[in-house]
Amino acid sequence: MPSQTARSPFHVMTKPIGPICNLDCKYCFYLEKEALYTDGKWRMAPDVLESYIRQYIEAQPTQFVSFAWQGGEPTLLGVNFFRNVVELQKKYANGKTIENAFQTNGTLLDDEWATFLKENDFLVGVSIDGPKEIHDANRVDKKGNSSFDEVMRGIEVLQKAGVRFNTLTCLNRVTSKKPLEVYRFLKSIGSDFQQFIPIVERRPGQQAKKWGLDLAAPEEGIADDDLPVLGWSVLPEDFGDFYIRIFDRWIRKDVGTIFVQLFETALSKWIGAPGGICVHAETCGDAMAVEHNGDLYSCDHFVYPQYKLGNLKDTPLVDLVSKPQQRQFGLNKRDKLPEYCRKCEVRFVCNGGCPKDRFLHTPDGEPGLHYLCKGYRKFFNHIAEPMRAMAYLNRNRRSATEVMELVAKKKLPGYKPMK
């Protein structure tokens, strides 16, 4: 019998309700995926759910298995759907340790949800863009009304029940202008782990339009001006300055108490440790997405027909993730990197960014430069000396928090906080 275990660990973003959501965030890249599925059946069927959970656990070559549930908005499925998830995980665990991460907009959370999430130790990610005015600029409901108060109510429900949570903030044209206001707000609501996701979307080309989509597919318009970015997309300079402003505050006061995903990833690169987010890995292909009907795609940002690997009802999951086309997808991130990037002084930490947004030309005319290159390069160069200092402290079994004293005493002459 063929092995049901993959050669190496992999991750799947689970979309049990597809793109269906109770909000209508202006910049959302996933809402449009409704056009790819026309039967109107959005709830993951019981047989698909059980097959997926069984196969995903069996396929992991380690004793630790991490599930991630997202959407759309997964709370629309109701608590009982996830009670069933937990029971199925117990049924097929076979001695393995199971972890669940759950991304939500927070608006539908109540005491029943909080009790369930606490009892089953779900790590909850709440999507919130900052204070009310900043958040509501883009994160609105289906009638275009504010969602802020409902998100905050959901967070309070989690806090009351003692549910651990982190925050996901979309870095768009509005949030990017208010870095310290956003950062202080997130700290004030108890977010110790913060993720900032850059919003970069473009007008659709002919290919995307044929599928009924409103945003460009990744390989459309590999040129500066073919498919301009849409108005909510973050600007490269603002992107870099946003992170620099927050870093300059964090490095003086918050090392060891507040964890910003990009800072943690950068530090791992300077230390020389594996891991970090896929955006800055040398290769990718180990983080896929499964839709509500069992369709598996190469990546959460590549849910397009040409990146569909198959359906786990027809082909074992372990075979889908091992397909040559998926391995090549992951290798292309490294192999198609422009020469301009290969020679870059911060390539070791950046690695060219996500292939989805490599639609610019380099200064010498080679295609494949990341849209946010200027921002990434500015930020990674800005943090180089503090990162080297923390890496030194790590190698000598000392706390990275000591870097705050070095900054306070101006013992890092190469580090110049932004004025």
Side-chain angles (χ1 to χ4, degrees):
M1 181 177 177
S3 173
Q4 297 302 303
T5 303
R7 292 182 179 180
S8 59
F10 64 93
H11 184 69
V12 175
M13 183 73 73
T14 317
K15 307 279 190 175
I17 196 168
I20 303 304
C21 187
N22 61 317
L23 296 188
D24 197 15
C25 301
K26 298 174 184 177
Y27 51 62
C28 183
F29 75 95
Y30 215 79
L31 289 174
E32 68 168 6
K33 302 304 186 211
E34 281 193 56
L36 301 180
Y37 295 92
T38 58
D39 62 5
K41 298 178 180 179
W42 295 109
R43 187 184 187 91
M44 185 174 275
D47 61 323
V48 177
L49 178 65
E50 181 164 6
S51 178
Y52 167 62
I53 289 174
R54 174 183 59 79
Q55 292 190 58
Y56 188 61
I57 294 172
E58 289 178 353
Q60 297 297 336
T62 64
Q63 286 300 110
F64 180 81
V65 182
S66 179
F67 283 85
W69 306 92
Q70 201 180 57
E73 176 49 46
T75 55
L76 289 170
L77 291 162
V79 177
N80 285 338
F81 180 92
F82 286 95
R83 288 195 177 105
N84 187 37
V85 163
V86 172
E87 290 306 309
L88 290 170
Q89 290 172 339
K90 292 176 180 178
K91 178 179 178 180
Y92 294 109
N94 194 27
K96 293 184 177 182
T97 299
I98 309 296
E99 179 187 69
N100 286 285
F102 188 84
Q103 188 65 40
T104 175
N105 60 41
T107 61
L108 301 178
L109 295 175
D110 57 18
D111 289 340
E112 183 182 18
W113 268 112
T115 298
F116 167 79
L117 295 168
K118 176 65 175 178
E119 289 178 348
N120 293 282
D121 198 27
F122 274 53
L123 174 60
V124 180
V126 179
S127 298
I128 186 167
D129 279 357
K132 185 178 179 67
E133 182 179 350
I134 295 174
H135 176 90
D136 286 340
N138 287 289
R139 299 191 65 83
V140 294
D141 65 17
K142 297 297 184 182
K143 295 181 180 179
N145 297 323
S146 167
S147 67
F148 180 81
D149 290 344
E150 288 304 298
V151 178
M152 288 303 299
R153 183 197 53 76
I155 289 174
E156 290 168 4
V157 167
L158 295 178
Q159 290 173 323
K160 180 182 176 182
V163 178
R164 57 190 181 126
F165 75 97
N166 57 42
T167 53
L168 187 154
T169 299
C170 289
L171 190 45
N172 55 65
R173 197 73 61 93
V174 176
T175 53
S176 62
K177 302 289 188 182
K178 305 283 186 178
L180 294 182
E181 189 173 345
V182 170
Y183 182 60
R184 286 192 293 262
F185 170 79
L186 295 176
K187 287 174 59 178
S188 75
I189 64 171
S191 176
D192 298 332
F193 189 93
Q194 303 173 10
Q195 301 177 63
F196 299 100
I197 307 299
I199 298 299
V200 180
E201 299 297 344
R202 298 175 295 149
R203 294 186 180 90
Q206 292 304 312
Q207 187 180 55
K209 288 178 180 177
K210 289 179 181 178
W211 295 324
L213 302 178
D214 298 320
L215 304 172
E219 60 281 290
E220 289 188 307
I222 310 298
D224 297 19
D225 54 1
D226 281 357
L227 299 173
V229 295
L230 293 166
W232 52 74
S233 298
V234 63
L235 298 174
E237 288 287 347
D238 290 345
F239 172 82
D241 289 348
F242 178 92
Y243 268 116
I244 288 172
R245 293 287 186 188
I246 291 178
F247 181 86
D248 288 348
R249 177 62 59 90
W250 176 83
I251 200 67
R252 289 188 289 114
K253 296 185 176 183
D254 296 328
V255 178
T257 56
I258 301 296
F259 301 90
V260 178
Q261 187 184 55
L262 185 59
F263 301 171
E264 299 300 306
T265 293
L267 181 57
S268 74
K269 300 291 186 180
W270 260 276
I271 290 173
I277 55 178
C278 60
V279 170
H280 297 299
E282 185 177 31
T283 61
C284 59
D286 293 326
M288 288 148 276
V290 66
E291 259 292 344
H292 63 291
N293 69 337
D295 285 345
L296 187 73
Y297 291 88
S298 291
C299 171
D300 182 35
H301 286 281
F302 286 77
V303 177
Y304 299 92
Q306 70 270 42
Y307 294 102
K308 179 181 169 182
L309 298 169
N311 189 290
L312 58 84
K313 293 183 294 184
D314 306 319
T315 306
L317 180 62
V318 69
D319 293 338
L320 294 177
V321 303
S322 304
K323 275 191 167 186
Q325 72 185 77
Q326 182 63 9
R327 291 199 299 271
Q328 191 59 54
F329 172 85
L331 293 173
N332 284 343
K333 185 175 191 292
R334 177 196 65 200
D335 297 345
K336 292 188 176 183
L337 196 63
E339 187 64 20
Y340 178 80
C341 296
R342 296 177 190 275
K343 295 178 179 179
C344 179
E345 70 279 0
V346 293
R347 179 197 169 176
F348 74 98
V349 59
C350 178
N351 283 308
C354 179
K356 167 189 172 288
D357 297 323
R358 291 182 181 178
F359 53 81
L360 299 186
H361 282 97
T362 65
D364 56 3
E366 189 177 2
L369 182 67
H370 199 282
Y371 167 75
L372 296 173
C373 172
K374 289 181 180 179
Y376 278 133
R377 196 169 190 175
K378 184 177 182 180
F379 170 68
F380 289 134
N381 276 300
H382 180 79
I383 68 174
E385 186 158 358
M387 285 293 167
R388 284 193 291 267
M390 285 190 283
Y392 172 83
L393 292 169
N394 178 269
R395 287 194 298 271
N396 289 275
R397 300 180 183 277
R398 293 162 62 183
S399 172
T401 60
E402 292 183 43
V403 75
M404 292 188 287
E405 183 178 354
L406 296 176
V407 171
K409 294 182 177 180
K410 299 182 179 180
K411 291 187 175 182
L412 300 178
Y415 168 62
K416 305 294 183 184
M418 181 179 282
K419 294 181 180 180

